[in-house]
Amino acid sequence: MDARSDAVERFLAATAPDHTSTQDEMADLADDWGFPIIGPEAGAVLRLL
């Protein structure tokens, strides 16, 4: 069961900034190394709080 509704998904997508090319590279590198990072949606929520 997914706890997030469509409205929440739209809100998170609207408040999350687009990644820069450098951030995209960093996210790819983190994936390659198995290093956990938060995504733009979680960052947007943290910024809001």
Side-chain angles (χ1 to χ4, degrees), residues 24-35:
D24 285 336
E25 288 179 40
M26 291 171 63
D28 289 341
L29 188 59
D31 283 342
D32 292 344
W33 288 358
F35 188 83

